[in-house]
Amino acid sequence: MSAVVVVGAQWGDEGKGKVVDLYAPYADLVVRYAGGANAGHTLVVKGEKVILHLVPSGILHPGGRCVIAQGTVLDPEVLLAELEALAARGVQVEGRVLVSNRAHVVMPQHKLIDELRETGDQPIGTTKRGIGPTYEDKVARRGIRMGDLLDAGRLRPKLAQNIEAWRPFIEARGGEVPDAKAIAARYLEMGERLRPYIQDTATVVADAVRQGKRLLLEGAQGTMLDIDHGTYPFVTSSNAVAGGACAGAGIGPTVIDEVIGIAKAYATRVGGGPFPTELHGEAGDALRTAGAEFGSTTGRPRRCGWLDLPALRLAVRVNGMSEIALTKLDVLTGLDELKLCVAYELDGERLDEPPYDAFDRVVPIYETLPGWSESIQAVERREDLPDAARRYVERIETLAGCEIGIISVGPDRVHTADLRDPFAR
Ligand code: IMP
Protein backbone atom coordinates (compact mmCIF):
# COMPACT_ATOMS: atom_id res chain seq x y z
CA MET A 1 0.00 0.00 0.00
CA SER A 2 1.65 3.25 -1.02
CA ALA A 3 -0.90 6.00 -1.62
CA VAL A 4 -4.09 6.82 0.24
CA VAL A 5 -6.39 9.69 -0.72
CA VAL A 6 -8.44 11.45 1.94
CA VAL A 7 -11.36 13.21 0.32
CA GLY A 8 -14.37 15.19 1.56
CA ALA A 9 -17.59 13.28 0.88
CA GLN A 10 -20.04 16.15 1.46
CA TRP A 11 -19.83 19.97 1.27
CA GLY A 12 -16.45 20.35 2.96
CA ASP A 13 -15.76 20.76 6.69
CA GLU A 14 -16.24 17.04 7.26
CA GLY A 15 -13.27 16.86 9.62
CA LYS A 16 -10.54 16.02 7.10
CA GLY A 17 -8.04 17.92 9.25
CA LYS A 18 -8.55 15.58 12.18
CA VAL A 19 -8.42 12.45 10.01
CA VAL A 20 -5.25 13.60 8.20
CA ASP A 21 -3.76 14.38 11.59
CA LEU A 22 -4.55 10.82 12.75
CA TYR A 23 -3.17 9.23 9.58
CA ALA A 24 -0.09 11.46 9.15
CA PRO A 25 2.09 9.46 11.60
CA TYR A 26 1.72 6.45 9.26
CA ALA A 27 2.75 8.48 6.16
CA ASP A 28 6.11 9.65 4.85
CA LEU A 29 4.68 12.46 2.77
CA VAL A 30 1.41 14.37 3.11
CA VAL A 31 0.40 16.03 -0.16
CA ARG A 32 -2.28 18.69 -0.45
CA TYR A 33 -3.59 18.50 -4.02
CA ALA A 34 -6.35 21.10 -4.56
CA GLY A 35 -7.99 24.27 -3.32
CA GLY A 36 -6.38 27.15 -1.51
CA ALA A 37 -6.87 29.36 1.51
CA ASN A 38 -10.63 28.80 1.20
CA ALA A 39 -10.08 25.69 3.33
CA GLY A 40 -9.01 25.80 6.93
CA HIS A 41 -8.53 23.69 9.98
CA THR A 42 -7.72 24.50 13.55
CA LEU A 43 -4.85 22.75 15.29
CA VAL A 44 -3.63 23.00 18.82
CA VAL A 45 0.17 23.37 19.07
CA LYS A 46 1.58 23.36 22.61
CA GLY A 47 -1.77 24.47 23.96
CA GLU A 48 -2.13 27.30 21.44
CA LYS A 49 -4.59 27.34 18.55
CA VAL A 50 -3.17 27.68 15.05
CA ILE A 51 -5.48 27.86 12.04
CA LEU A 52 -3.90 26.44 8.92
CA HIS A 53 -5.34 27.11 5.46
CA LEU A 54 -2.56 25.87 3.22
CA VAL A 55 0.05 23.85 5.14
CA PRO A 56 -1.18 20.26 5.67
CA SER A 57 -1.74 19.36 9.30
CA GLY A 58 0.83 16.56 8.89
CA ILE A 59 3.47 19.23 9.64
CA LEU A 60 2.90 18.64 13.34
CA HIS A 61 4.26 15.11 13.16
CA PRO A 62 8.02 15.22 13.52
CA GLY A 63 9.99 14.04 10.52
CA GLY A 64 7.24 13.85 7.93
CA ARG A 65 7.30 16.15 4.93
CA CYS A 66 4.38 18.11 3.50
CA VAL A 67 3.89 19.01 -0.12
CA ILE A 68 1.60 21.79 -1.33
CA ALA A 69 1.23 20.57 -4.88
CA GLN A 70 0.49 22.16 -8.23
CA GLY A 71 -3.27 21.56 -8.09
CA THR A 72 -3.56 24.15 -5.33
CA VAL A 73 -3.71 27.94 -5.60
CA LEU A 74 -1.52 29.80 -3.14
CA ASP A 75 -1.76 33.14 -1.47
CA PRO A 76 1.88 33.84 -0.49
CA GLU A 77 0.84 36.18 2.31
CA VAL A 78 -1.22 33.44 3.95
CA LEU A 79 1.48 30.86 3.37
CA LEU A 80 4.21 33.01 4.90
CA ALA A 81 2.03 33.83 7.90
CA GLU A 82 1.40 30.11 8.49
CA LEU A 83 5.06 29.17 8.10
CA GLU A 84 6.05 31.94 10.52
CA ALA A 85 3.37 31.00 13.05
CA LEU A 86 4.52 27.37 12.99
CA ALA A 87 8.23 28.30 13.21
CA ALA A 88 7.48 30.62 16.16
CA ARG A 89 5.99 27.63 17.99
CA GLY A 90 9.12 25.58 17.40
CA VAL A 91 7.87 23.56 14.43
CA GLN A 92 10.62 22.90 11.86
CA VAL A 93 9.20 24.06 8.52
CA GLU A 94 12.18 24.65 6.22
CA GLY A 95 13.07 21.44 4.43
CA ARG A 96 9.76 19.90 5.49
CA VAL A 97 7.25 22.08 3.63
CA LEU A 98 7.66 21.87 -0.13
CA VAL A 99 5.72 24.23 -2.39
CA SER A 100 5.14 23.53 -6.06
CA ASN A 101 6.65 25.96 -8.55
CA ARG A 102 3.61 25.19 -10.75
CA ALA A 103 0.93 26.13 -8.21
CA HIS A 104 -0.89 29.28 -9.28
CA VAL A 105 -0.61 32.43 -7.20
CA VAL A 106 -3.60 34.20 -5.69
CA MET A 107 -2.93 37.93 -6.13
CA PRO A 108 -4.67 41.10 -4.95
CA GLN A 109 -6.62 41.43 -8.21
CA HIS A 110 -8.10 37.94 -7.66
CA LYS A 111 -9.30 38.78 -4.19
CA LEU A 112 -10.71 42.09 -5.44
CA ILE A 113 -12.61 40.39 -8.30
CA ASP A 114 -14.00 37.73 -5.93
CA GLU A 115 -15.17 40.51 -3.59
CA LEU A 116 -16.71 42.60 -6.40
CA ARG A 117 -18.63 39.58 -7.69
CA GLU A 118 -19.88 38.61 -4.28
CA THR A 119 -21.21 42.11 -3.68
CA GLY A 120 -22.89 42.03 -7.12
CA ASP A 121 -26.27 40.60 -8.06
CA GLN A 122 -25.26 36.92 -8.39
CA PRO A 123 -23.27 36.01 -5.29
CA ILE A 124 -22.72 32.34 -4.56
CA GLY A 125 -21.31 32.85 -1.08
CA THR A 126 -17.62 32.27 -1.80
CA THR A 127 -14.97 32.63 0.88
CA LYS A 128 -13.73 35.77 -0.97
CA ARG A 129 -10.19 34.41 -0.93
CA GLY A 130 -9.72 34.93 -4.68
CA ILE A 131 -9.93 31.21 -5.42
CA GLY A 132 -12.31 31.33 -8.41
CA PRO A 133 -10.54 34.13 -10.31
CA THR A 134 -7.14 32.46 -9.79
CA TYR A 135 -8.35 29.16 -11.24
CA GLU A 136 -10.03 31.13 -14.05
CA ASP A 137 -6.67 32.68 -14.93
CA LYS A 138 -5.03 29.26 -14.82
CA VAL A 139 -7.50 27.89 -17.37
CA ALA A 140 -7.35 31.11 -19.42
CA ARG A 141 -3.58 30.51 -19.65
CA ARG A 142 -2.66 33.85 -18.18
CA GLY A 143 -2.04 32.77 -14.60
CA ILE A 144 1.01 33.51 -12.48
CA ARG A 145 2.76 30.55 -10.92
CA MET A 146 4.81 30.29 -7.77
CA GLY A 147 8.00 29.83 -9.82
CA ASP A 148 7.34 33.23 -11.44
CA LEU A 149 7.77 34.91 -8.07
CA LEU A 150 11.47 33.97 -8.22
CA ASP A 151 12.21 35.86 -11.43
CA ALA A 152 11.40 39.56 -11.86
CA GLY A 153 11.86 39.33 -15.65
CA ARG A 154 9.14 36.71 -15.87
CA LEU A 155 6.77 38.09 -13.26
CA ARG A 156 6.54 41.77 -14.28
CA PRO A 157 5.20 41.38 -17.87
CA LYS A 158 2.87 38.51 -16.91
CA LEU A 159 1.42 40.48 -14.04
CA ALA A 160 0.93 43.62 -16.14
CA GLN A 161 -0.89 41.59 -18.82
CA ASN A 162 -2.99 39.84 -16.23
CA ILE A 163 -4.17 43.06 -14.62
CA GLU A 164 -4.94 44.58 -18.03
CA ALA A 165 -7.09 41.55 -18.85
CA TRP A 166 -9.20 42.20 -15.75
CA ARG A 167 -9.25 46.02 -16.07
CA PRO A 168 -12.62 46.26 -17.92
CA PHE A 169 -14.34 44.08 -15.33
CA ILE A 170 -12.86 45.89 -12.34
CA GLU A 171 -13.68 49.33 -13.74
CA ALA A 172 -17.22 48.31 -14.73
CA ARG A 173 -17.85 47.25 -11.12
CA GLY A 174 -16.43 50.51 -9.75
CA GLY A 175 -13.29 48.88 -8.33
CA GLU A 176 -9.83 50.40 -8.23
CA VAL A 177 -7.43 48.69 -10.64
CA PRO A 178 -4.42 47.51 -8.62
CA ASP A 179 -0.99 48.89 -9.44
CA ALA A 180 1.01 46.18 -11.20
CA LYS A 181 4.40 47.66 -10.28
CA ALA A 182 3.66 47.84 -6.58
CA ILE A 183 2.26 44.29 -6.57
CA ALA A 184 5.30 42.98 -8.45
CA ALA A 185 7.66 44.49 -5.88
CA ARG A 186 5.71 43.01 -2.98
CA TYR A 187 5.32 39.57 -4.53
CA LEU A 188 8.97 39.38 -5.59
CA GLU A 189 9.95 40.12 -2.01
CA MET A 190 7.64 37.36 -0.77
CA GLY A 191 9.01 35.08 -3.49
CA GLU A 192 12.51 35.57 -2.07
CA ARG A 193 11.29 34.59 1.39
CA LEU A 194 9.61 31.52 -0.05
CA ARG A 195 12.56 30.54 -2.29
CA PRO A 196 13.77 27.76 0.04
CA TYR A 197 10.37 26.07 -0.20
CA ILE A 198 9.56 26.39 -3.91
CA GLN A 199 10.49 23.50 -6.19
CA ASP A 200 9.21 20.94 -8.68
CA THR A 201 7.21 18.95 -6.15
CA ALA A 202 5.87 16.43 -8.69
CA THR A 203 9.38 14.97 -9.01
CA VAL A 204 9.68 14.76 -5.22
CA VAL A 205 6.37 12.89 -5.12
CA ALA A 206 7.49 10.61 -7.97
CA ASP A 207 10.76 9.82 -6.17
CA ALA A 208 8.83 9.01 -3.02
CA VAL A 209 6.58 6.62 -4.98
CA ARG A 210 9.63 4.95 -6.56
CA GLN A 211 11.20 4.47 -3.15
CA GLY A 212 8.05 2.81 -1.83
CA LYS A 213 7.27 5.66 0.57
CA ARG A 214 3.76 6.10 1.90
CA LEU A 215 1.83 9.04 0.49
CA LEU A 216 -1.21 10.60 2.11
CA LEU A 217 -3.00 12.74 -0.44
CA GLU A 218 -5.18 15.36 1.19
CA GLY A 219 -8.10 16.90 -0.68
CA ALA A 220 -9.78 20.18 0.17
CA GLN A 221 -13.47 21.08 0.30
CA GLY A 222 -15.81 18.20 -0.58
CA THR A 223 -17.33 16.22 -3.42
CA MET A 224 -20.52 18.30 -3.53
CA LEU A 225 -18.34 21.40 -4.04
CA ASP A 226 -16.31 19.78 -6.83
CA ILE A 227 -16.33 21.80 -10.05
CA ASP A 228 -17.43 18.77 -12.12
CA HIS A 229 -19.49 16.69 -9.70
CA GLY A 230 -20.91 19.18 -7.22
CA THR A 231 -24.01 21.37 -7.13
CA TYR A 232 -22.85 23.58 -10.00
CA PRO A 233 -22.66 26.60 -10.07
CA PHE A 234 -22.60 26.64 -6.25
CA VAL A 235 -19.23 24.94 -6.14
CA THR A 236 -15.57 25.74 -5.73
CA SER A 237 -13.27 25.98 -8.75
CA SER A 238 -11.18 22.83 -8.51
CA ASN A 239 -11.51 19.07 -8.53
CA ALA A 240 -11.98 18.25 -4.89
CA VAL A 241 -12.68 14.58 -5.76
CA ALA A 242 -10.08 11.83 -5.46
CA GLY A 243 -9.37 11.99 -9.21
CA GLY A 244 -8.05 15.51 -8.61
CA ALA A 245 -5.21 13.96 -6.62
CA CYS A 246 -3.62 12.60 -9.77
CA ALA A 247 -3.36 15.83 -11.75
CA GLY A 248 -3.05 17.91 -8.60
CA ALA A 249 -0.12 16.03 -7.10
CA GLY A 250 1.40 14.71 -10.33
CA ILE A 251 0.89 10.97 -9.97
CA GLY A 252 -0.77 8.36 -12.13
CA PRO A 253 -4.05 6.71 -11.03
CA THR A 254 -2.29 3.34 -10.70
CA VAL A 255 -0.38 4.68 -7.70
CA ILE A 256 -3.50 5.16 -5.58
CA ASP A 257 -4.47 2.18 -3.46
CA GLU A 258 -7.23 3.47 -1.28
CA VAL A 259 -9.69 6.37 -1.13
CA ILE A 260 -11.08 7.26 2.27
CA GLY A 261 -14.09 9.55 2.15
CA ILE A 262 -14.70 11.72 5.17
CA ALA A 263 -18.38 12.14 5.99
CA LYS A 264 -19.91 13.86 8.96
CA ALA A 265 -22.70 11.95 10.73
CA TYR A 266 -25.01 14.79 9.61
CA ALA A 267 -24.62 17.43 6.90
CA THR A 268 -23.42 21.03 6.76
CA ARG A 269 -22.90 23.56 4.02
CA VAL A 270 -21.41 27.09 4.01
CA GLY A 271 -22.34 29.65 1.40
CA GLY A 272 -25.23 29.59 -1.05
CA GLY A 273 -26.78 26.79 -3.05
CA PRO A 274 -29.37 24.06 -2.58
CA PHE A 275 -29.21 21.92 0.55
CA PRO A 276 -32.21 19.55 0.58
CA THR A 277 -31.86 18.25 4.15
CA GLU A 278 -31.23 21.65 5.74
CA LEU A 279 -32.81 22.16 9.17
CA HIS A 280 -34.12 25.63 9.83
CA GLY A 281 -34.99 27.22 13.16
CA GLU A 282 -34.28 25.63 16.51
CA ALA A 283 -33.31 22.19 15.23
CA GLY A 284 -30.66 23.66 12.93
CA ASP A 285 -29.42 26.00 15.66
CA ALA A 286 -29.10 23.12 18.12
CA LEU A 287 -26.97 21.09 15.69
CA ARG A 288 -24.83 24.15 14.89
CA THR A 289 -24.15 24.77 18.58
CA ALA A 290 -23.55 21.11 19.44
CA GLY A 291 -21.17 20.67 16.50
CA ALA A 292 -19.53 24.15 16.77
CA GLU A 293 -20.41 24.60 13.13
CA PHE A 294 -18.80 27.91 12.27
CA GLY A 295 -16.40 28.27 9.34
CA SER A 296 -12.70 28.20 10.27
CA THR A 297 -11.87 30.47 7.31
CA THR A 298 -14.70 33.00 7.35
CA GLY A 299 -16.34 32.38 10.74
CA ARG A 300 -19.71 32.11 8.96
CA PRO A 301 -22.35 29.97 10.68
CA ARG A 302 -22.66 26.73 8.73
CA ARG A 303 -26.06 25.58 7.52
CA CYS A 304 -26.87 22.26 9.23
CA GLY A 305 -29.11 19.36 8.30
CA TRP A 306 -29.67 15.61 8.30
CA LEU A 307 -27.29 13.24 6.60
CA ASP A 308 -27.98 13.13 2.86
CA LEU A 309 -27.47 9.60 1.54
CA PRO A 310 -28.12 10.39 -2.15
CA ALA A 311 -25.25 12.92 -1.98
CA LEU A 312 -23.08 10.41 -0.11
CA ARG A 313 -23.84 7.71 -2.70
CA LEU A 314 -22.66 10.06 -5.42
CA ALA A 315 -19.49 10.67 -3.43
CA VAL A 316 -18.89 6.93 -2.98
CA ARG A 317 -19.29 6.46 -6.73
CA VAL A 318 -17.27 9.36 -8.18
CA ASN A 319 -14.40 8.94 -5.72
CA GLY A 320 -14.18 5.16 -6.03
CA MET A 321 -14.35 5.26 -2.26
CA SER A 322 -13.01 2.21 -0.49
CA GLU A 323 -14.01 3.30 2.99
CA ILE A 324 -15.84 6.05 4.85
CA ALA A 325 -14.43 7.76 7.94
CA LEU A 326 -17.49 8.91 9.87
CA THR A 327 -16.93 12.05 11.95
CA LYS A 328 -18.75 13.93 14.70
CA LEU A 329 -21.04 11.06 15.64
CA ASP A 330 -20.96 12.39 19.22
CA VAL A 331 -22.70 15.61 18.13
CA LEU A 332 -25.91 13.62 17.64
CA THR A 333 -25.90 12.35 21.24
CA GLY A 334 -29.01 13.43 23.13
CA LEU A 335 -31.39 13.68 20.17
CA ASP A 336 -34.57 11.62 20.67
CA GLU A 337 -34.65 10.55 17.07
CA LEU A 338 -32.50 10.92 13.99
CA LYS A 339 -33.45 11.19 10.37
CA LEU A 340 -31.56 9.88 7.39
CA CYS A 341 -32.43 11.16 3.94
CA VAL A 342 -32.51 7.87 2.03
CA ALA A 343 -33.64 9.21 -1.36
CA TYR A 344 -35.26 12.26 -2.98
CA GLU A 345 -38.55 12.77 -4.71
CA LEU A 346 -38.61 14.96 -7.81
CA ASP A 347 -41.78 15.46 -9.84
CA GLY A 348 -43.25 12.21 -8.54
CA GLU A 349 -40.10 10.18 -9.19
CA ARG A 350 -37.79 8.65 -6.60
CA LEU A 351 -34.09 9.48 -7.05
CA ASP A 352 -31.21 7.66 -5.37
CA GLU A 353 -28.62 10.30 -6.29
CA PRO A 354 -28.65 14.07 -6.87
CA PRO A 355 -30.02 15.02 -10.29
CA TYR A 356 -28.01 16.97 -12.86
CA ASP A 357 -30.24 20.00 -12.34
CA ALA A 358 -33.28 20.93 -10.24
CA PHE A 359 -31.37 20.02 -7.10
CA ASP A 360 -33.19 22.92 -5.47
CA ARG A 361 -36.54 21.19 -6.06
CA VAL A 362 -35.85 17.71 -4.69
CA VAL A 363 -37.82 16.69 -1.62
CA PRO A 364 -35.99 14.47 0.86
CA ILE A 365 -37.49 11.09 1.76
CA TYR A 366 -36.57 10.35 5.36
CA GLU A 367 -36.19 7.27 7.46
CA THR A 368 -36.39 7.85 11.23
CA LEU A 369 -34.13 6.04 13.67
CA PRO A 370 -34.01 6.13 17.48
CA GLY A 371 -31.37 8.32 19.13
CA TRP A 372 -29.12 7.62 22.14
CA SER A 373 -28.39 9.67 25.23
CA GLU A 374 -25.21 8.22 26.73
CA SER A 375 -21.85 9.89 26.01
CA ILE A 376 -19.85 8.04 23.35
CA GLN A 377 -16.60 10.03 23.52
CA ALA A 378 -14.66 7.28 25.29
CA VAL A 379 -15.74 4.55 22.86
CA GLU A 380 -12.75 2.91 21.16
CA ARG A 381 -14.46 0.15 19.21
CA ARG A 382 -17.65 0.24 17.20
CA GLU A 383 -19.12 -2.69 19.09
CA ASP A 384 -19.00 -0.63 22.30
CA LEU A 385 -21.31 2.06 20.91
CA PRO A 386 -24.85 2.18 22.33
CA ASP A 387 -27.21 0.01 20.26
CA ALA A 388 -28.95 2.97 18.63
CA ALA A 389 -25.65 4.57 17.57
CA ARG A 390 -24.39 1.27 16.16
CA ARG A 391 -27.62 0.84 14.21
CA TYR A 392 -27.32 4.38 12.86
CA VAL A 393 -23.76 3.65 11.65
CA GLU A 394 -24.76 0.32 10.10
CA ARG A 395 -27.71 1.87 8.33
CA ILE A 396 -25.43 4.50 6.76
CA GLU A 397 -23.09 1.76 5.55
CA THR A 398 -25.95 -0.15 3.97
CA LEU A 399 -27.56 2.87 2.36
CA ALA A 400 -24.30 4.41 1.12
CA GLY A 401 -22.97 1.09 -0.15
CA CYS A 402 -19.60 1.59 1.50
CA GLU A 403 -17.94 0.30 4.64
CA ILE A 404 -17.30 2.68 7.53
CA GLY A 405 -13.78 2.42 8.98
CA ILE A 406 -12.87 4.84 11.70
CA ILE A 407 -15.53 6.72 13.63
CA SER A 408 -14.75 10.04 15.25
CA VAL A 409 -16.58 10.39 18.56
CA GLY A 410 -15.14 13.68 19.82
CA PRO A 411 -12.81 16.53 18.87
CA ASP A 412 -9.53 15.15 20.26
CA ARG A 413 -7.22 12.60 18.66
CA VAL A 414 -8.10 10.10 21.40
CA HIS A 415 -11.80 10.41 20.60
CA THR A 416 -11.62 7.97 17.72
CA ALA A 417 -13.03 4.47 17.42
CA ASP A 418 -11.42 1.74 15.30
CA LEU A 419 -8.35 3.77 14.30
CA ARG A 420 -5.91 1.71 12.25
CA ASP A 421 -2.99 2.19 9.87
CA PRO A 422 -4.61 3.27 6.58
CA PHE A 423 -1.65 1.86 4.62
CA ALA A 424 -1.98 -1.61 6.11
CA ARG A 425 -5.12 -2.72 4.31
P1 IMP B 1 -14.71 29.56 -3.07
O1 IMP B 1 -14.04 28.24 -3.03
O2 IMP B 1 -14.20 30.55 -2.06
O3 IMP B 1 -14.76 30.13 -4.46
O4 IMP B 1 -16.25 29.34 -2.67
C1 IMP B 1 -17.13 28.56 -3.46
C2 IMP B 1 -18.08 27.76 -2.56
O5 IMP B 1 -17.35 26.76 -1.88
C3 IMP B 1 -18.78 28.58 -1.48
O6 IMP B 1 -20.06 28.04 -1.24
C4 IMP B 1 -17.90 28.36 -0.26
O7 IMP B 1 -18.58 28.54 0.96
C5 IMP B 1 -17.53 26.89 -0.47
N1 IMP B 1 -16.27 26.53 0.18
C6 IMP B 1 -15.01 26.80 -0.23
N2 IMP B 1 -14.11 26.28 0.61
C7 IMP B 1 -14.79 25.64 1.57
C8 IMP B 1 -14.41 24.85 2.70
O8 IMP B 1 -13.22 24.62 3.00
N3 IMP B 1 -15.43 24.35 3.44
C9 IMP B 1 -16.73 24.54 3.12
N4 IMP B 1 -17.14 25.26 2.07
C10 IMP B 1 -16.18 25.79 1.29
Side-chain angles (χ1 to χ4, degrees), residues 11-14 16 32 35-40 114 118 124-133 135 220-222 225 233-238 268-273 295-298 300 302-303:
W11 281 271
D13 309 317
E14 298 94 347
K16 287 183 293 297
R32 166 94 187 263
N38 45 353
D114 204 355
E118 285 297 304
I124 69 152
T126 74
T127 58
K128 299 187 188 172
R129 297 299 187 271
I131 306 299
Y135 277 115
Q221 288 81 47
L225 291 174
F234 297 95
V235 291
T236 191
S237 304
S238 61
T268 62
R269 163 162 218 171
V270 211
S296 49
T297 299
T298 58
R300 291 181 288 179
R302 296 179 186 143
R303 300 157 67 192

Side-chain angles (χ1 to χ4, degrees), residues 10 263-267 277 305-310 312 326 339-342 366 392 396:
Q10 296 159 315
K264 232 176 324 210
Y266 49 98
T277 63
W306 297 119
L307 185 63
D308 184 325
L309 268 310
L312 189 53
L326 192 70
K339 286 186 200 271
L340 285 174
C341 168
V342 295
Y366 288 112
Y392 185 71
I396 296 169

Side-chain angles (χ1 to χ4, degrees), residues 112-301:
L112 172 65
I113 294 153
D114 204 355
E115 176 80 38
L116 290 173
R117 282 203 189 122
E118 285 297 304
T119 45
D121 54 3
Q122 285 183 315
I124 69 152
T126 74
T127 58
K128 299 187 188 172
R129 297 299 187 271
I131 306 299
T134 307
Y135 277 115
E136 279 171 64
D137 274 347
K138 172 178 177 173
V139 177
R141 294 172 289 218
R142 58 171 185 234
I144 289 140
R145 301 188 290 173
M146 288 303 286
D148 297 334
L149 302 186
L150 305 179
D151 182 338
R154 259 205 322 257
L155 178 67
R156 287 202 184 102
K158 277 192 188 183
L159 181 58
Q161 278 168 13
N162 183 279
I163 290 183
E164 280 318 301
W166 285 109
R167 179 183 289 281
F169 175 85
I170 297 173
E171 287 180 346
R173 300 286 177 119
E176 194 180 323
V177 179
D179 175 27
K181 275 199 186 127
I183 297 177
R186 197 149 62 86
Y187 279 66
L188 285 166
E189 185 266 323
M190 287 194 284
E192 272 319 306
R193 285 158 64 201
L194 287 169
R195 190 180 281 278
Y197 302 91
I198 299 174
Q199 56 189 283
D200 182 351
T201 56
T203 60
V204 175
V205 173
D207 284 346
V209 171
R210 242 191 317 273
Q211 290 163 20
K213 303 262 190 228
R214 287 163 303 181
L215 259 56
L216 188 61
L217 297 144
E218 177 187 351
Q221 288 81 47
T223 304
M224 297 306 285
L225 291 174
D226 179 273
I227 184 77
D228 285 303
H229 300 283
T231 55
Y232 192 86
F234 297 95
V235 291
T236 191
S237 304
S238 61
N239 280 119
V241 294
C246 293
I251 53 169
T254 47
V255 171
I256 295 171
D257 304 288
E258 184 160 11
V259 176
I260 301 175
I262 317 301
K264 232 176 324 210
Y266 49 98
T268 62
R269 163 162 218 171
V270 211
F275 183 17
T277 63
E278 183 166 12
L279 284 166
H280 300 279
E282 267 176 39
D285 291 346
L287 213 45
R288 187 174 308 111
T289 308
E293 295 292 355
F294 296 88
S296 49
T297 299
T298 58
R300 291 181 288 179

Side-chain angles (χ1 to χ4, degrees), residues 39-107:
H41 44 258
T42 308
L43 302 173
V44 180
V45 190
K46 293 189 181 144
E48 271 184 85
K49 270 191 183 178
V50 186
I51 297 185
L52 296 181
H53 300 285
L54 295 169
V55 178
S57 54
I59 193 65
L60 295 190
H61 296 279
R65 288 188 300 166
C66 294
V67 170
I68 310 178
Q70 69 267 27
T72 62
V73 289
L74 298 186
D75 183 334
E77 262 171 358
V78 175
L79 181 56
L80 279 165
E82 285 181 17
L83 293 172
E84 278 158 17
L86 288 166
R89 286 165 178 79
V91 179
Q92 172 68 32
V93 282
E94 212 175 307
R96 293 186 56 221
V97 177
L98 318 179
V99 176
S100 170
N101 53 4
R102 287 179 167 81
H104 281 247
V105 186
V106 180
M107 300 203 114

